[in-house]
Amino acid sequence: MIYYFNIFYFIFYILATFLMVIYKSQVFTFPGGYLALDLVLLILMIILEVTRLYHGFKGNLTEETVPIVINLVLTIGSMLLSLYYLLWQTYVLKADVIMNAILLIIYGLEEILDIIAVSSFARTYT
């Protein structure tokens, strides 16, 4: 169920982050190349999230441990990108902090539940 919530929240997150990057580019002066870096990392985050959610859904539906372990590893990358937007992007607004904190909480819950699922599937099928 948390994967379904994550889909809707991530769509909101990407749209809001993209609009905030546009807003920041109009209001603030970006040092050379940092605007492009923020946008490239946002695209990378989209690709990583789609791949991660695919493996998460596949692992849960088929009750296989390998896709869930892949999801666990990809979640670490998504968490690092979320931390970038929380702490290290060029300009961090209060909305960035709130949205990334919620996203990190969702990722943390998914990690805990994925670990429980992997241990449960491993016990059941071994």
Side-chain angles (χ1 to χ4, degrees), residues 13-88:
Y13 173 84
I14 288 298
L15 291 174
T17 303
F18 182 70
L19 290 174
M20 281 192 290
V21 168
I22 291 172
Y23 168 77
K24 292 174 198 175
S25 71
Q26 298 298 315
V27 174
F28 303 112
T29 305
F30 274 80
Y34 285 100
L35 178 62
L37 175 67
D38 287 351
L39 291 173
V40 167
L41 289 178
L42 192 62
I43 293 168
L44 178 66
M45 191 174 194
I46 293 169
I47 294 167
L48 189 63
E49 188 71 14
V50 168
T51 307
R52 188 186 75 78
L53 287 173
Y54 168 75
H55 286 291
F57 275 109
K58 181 181 176 186
N60 277 333
L61 293 175
T62 59
E63 295 186 357
E64 295 178 7
T65 57
V66 174
I68 295 178
V69 171
I70 292 171
N71 181 30
L72 283 167
V73 172
L74 292 176
T75 301
I76 294 169
S78 293
M79 290 175 100
L80 290 174
L81 285 170
S82 182
L83 279 173
Y84 170 80
Y85 282 103
L86 177 66
L87 303 172
W88 302 307

Side-chain angles (χ1 to χ4, degrees), residues 61-121:
L61 293 175
T62 59
E63 295 186 357
E64 295 178 7
T65 57
V66 174
I68 295 178
V69 171
I70 292 171
N71 181 30
L72 283 167
V73 172
L74 292 176
T75 301
I76 294 169
S78 293
M79 290 175 100
L80 290 174
L81 285 170
S82 182
L83 279 173
Y84 170 80
Y85 282 103
L86 177 66
L87 303 172
W88 302 307
Q89 71 176 322
T90 309
Y91 298 106
V92 180
L93 302 177
K94 190 172 188 175
D96 288 317
V97 172
I98 293 168
M99 288 188 334
N100 283 294
I102 292 170
L103 191 61
L104 285 170
I105 290 169
I106 293 170
Y107 286 155
L109 286 172
E110 285 181 7
E111 287 281 305
I112 291 168
L113 294 173
D114 284 344
I115 291 169
I116 292 170
V118 165
S119 65
S120 173
F121 297 158

